Amino acid sequence: MKRLVRIITLSAFLITTHHALFADEGMWIPMLLNKNIDRMQQLGCKLSAEEIYSINRSSLKDAVVQFGRGCTGEVVSPKGLLLTNHHCGFGIIQRHSSLEHDYLTDGFWAASMDQELPNPGLTVTFLVRMEDVTSRVLEGVPGNLQENERDMRIRKNIRSITKKETEGTHYNASVIPYFNGNQYFLYVTEVFKDIRFVGAPPSGIGKFGGDTDNWMWPRHTGDFSVFRIYADSNNLPAEYSASNVPYKPKHYFPVSLGGYDEGDFALLFGNPGSTREYLPSYAVEMIAFKENPVKIGLRQKRLDIIGYSMDTSRLVRIQYASKYAGIANYWKKMIGETRGIKKADGVAKKQKAEQEFQQWASSRENEGKGYAEILPLFEKLYQELYPGDMATIYLREAGMAPEIFNLTTDAQELIRIAGEDTVSDETVQAAKESLLRSARGFYKNYQPQIDQMITNEMLQQMQDHMEQKYLPDIFGTIAKNYHGDIGSYTFNLFASSQFTDSTRFYRFMRKFNRKSARKLADDPAYLLGKSILEKYREEVVPSGRAVTSRIDSLQRVYLQAQMEMQPASQFYPDANSTMRVCFGKIEGFKPADAVDYRCYTTTQGILEKEDSSIYDYAVDQRLNELIASADYGRYADADGTMHVAFTSTIHSTGGNSGAPVLNGKGELIGINFDRNWEGTMSDLIYDPDQCRNIVLDIRYLLFILDHYAGEKWLINEMDIRK
Ligand code: ARG
Ligand code: ASP
């Protein structure tokens, strides 16, 4: 099974369409760009691989960070100035907002460094270096080991590698599997913890088009926000302190006013989160046509409930803006993904490639490797996975959807230790403080009436659609005490729980002691959360793991076999939240018969979309005037218009948001923020005709910063090139 025999000759029909050599598909490992650089230069890249990634001198990678846990950002000044998307900073902007200071609606601009706002908990992470450590990870791990024994030894090796590689430094390290576990890289990072909020446009610019335009082209969103990295006096990471100073980066991106033409080379540096490009057809079919529809339906119900209340109250709009956007984002993405797979006949394409694979695997040369059994085994395993997989989806998307679930989960620790004599009073007190802290954040954005409707609807969905054996025990209680009437159960829960009303909760917590903790343990909201978690953690996940771990190891062998079958093709590893370089051409696309999209939008489109009666399309008064006067100065394109966004063939995914898009000289021309709806299936299957990323034109950002916000001091920090 594990022989690394290479098959040199290969008949042409074996090359699947998927890994065609010259498509711009791919998310490449920065330290291995030597393999791509010829193709990149052929497309117009003027940089060398060493200029893009080097551990011996400063290189482009030193200006790229992981922003928080889910986005990318880039350094654009010698004083640690950082750009990312508005939607990446959204939660942070929301946290600084209230009815008095509504930064979401009105924007925020620091006029000088001392007005920049600190953000406890927010980090940015630089990649220091990476290294192939596969042989060290697999030391003492023969190919014929049982999967869990294999995992154990690998984990042990990894622990000793990360320990050794970070000893005596302030760096973090992890060892991360690539190519579905066929290869391992050491990943050494430096994490900064004092990140301050510098500015963001109002939602009417930064979120223009809102959820209506999300995942869509043509797009007119000024999706950016500005932060700054602070360090201690030695330029090293430090917790927030008033005495910290702006971080001096090893590299920062010059910003280009030069624009681009259709067909130009573009490069994206970022942290794509997760893709699954090498799945068998059975998995793609299950995701697109079974999982997605269920998730979409459940999310739709929550969005209807929340959306209605947001439309009727300004307070609710502020409180639920971030939560709503979070639910809506993947709801819409999944709709696009399923449509895309259907339209591209994705499952049939995979099946065709699998037939070729099967022929190759059953051929004489490959006898005895076991490759011919892979696909039949996949089919069987995915069938086995299905019932538990559906239960998982209902438990997570419906069972954990009530917002109160988050607070009762946070209360678990306190309830558990309060009853234990061996735990000191101080520890109990600390847990109580911690719960109160969570509660303050929670109630700031909470409306029990909304949550009651959500809880009601979600429990109903579970009762109607889940297999009996996967239903949490609480449904037994509901059957017994409420004749199975979910509505009266939730009514009662919200009327009597200590958690569902902030006044009740704080009153209770003021008198909290070890004895009264018992009352919390019997609280109906707490019992609901507990019942769902128990079912999930103690039954569904463990029994699912038996199948998923077999699927994972089969996937490892499957990819290895595919690489063996196509030695001339260049494979790229699935995204795994590590830094990648992606490149392609600036290009529009043709999504449907008779529709031909240009590769860029202009401010003209903002005026065309304007409609003050629709929240998503209300245009800020001042922006309106600026566009009307058409005074764009040096930020205008050569054609005199103001470009807002553009599309390219760059292969990107969630996590690439906020990522720098560079021209062939390594100058910043835009900030990645989205993909087109027709192309969201690129997480499973990339189609070069349909898949595009959507990028904010950096000149629009500068125009807003300079002409709209008057933030000249920030413009002056940057290296802006003609
Ligand atoms: N679709 C983009 C991404 O996945 C932007 C999401 C934020 N915008 C929104 N309207 N929800 O992150
Ligand atoms: N909008 C996504 C992000 O936040 C990017 C994408 O999925 O294309 O990372």
Side-chain angles (χ1 to χ4, degrees), residues 70-71 85 87-88 215 329-330 652-657 672-675:
C71 279
N85 289 144
H87 79 261
C88 293
W215 300 109
N329 194 34
Y330 267 62
S652 64
T653 186
N656 278 137
S657 268
N672 186 73
F673 70 97
D674 212 2
R675 275 173 287 164

Side-chain angles (χ1 to χ4, degrees), residues 84-90 93 109 199-210 213 219-226 601-603 606 609 616 623 627 643-645 671-673 694-705 708:
T84 187
N85 289 144
H86 185 265
H87 79 261
C88 293
F90 200 70
I93 305 169
W109 305 104
S203 286
I205 295 173
K207 202 176 190 276
F208 181 74
D213 281 8
R219 192 65 159 275
H220 300 86
T221 315
D223 197 344
F224 77 94
S225 57
V226 188
T601 58
T602 70
T603 43
I606 297 178
K609 281 179 181 170
D616 286 346
L623 179 64
I627 297 176
H643 288 204
V644 176
I671 303 182
N672 186 73
F673 70 97
I694 299 179
V695 187
L696 169 69
D697 193 304
I698 201 69
R699 295 169 296 177
Y700 184 60
L701 182 154
L702 295 172
F703 163 71
I704 296 292
L705 214 52
Y708 177 90

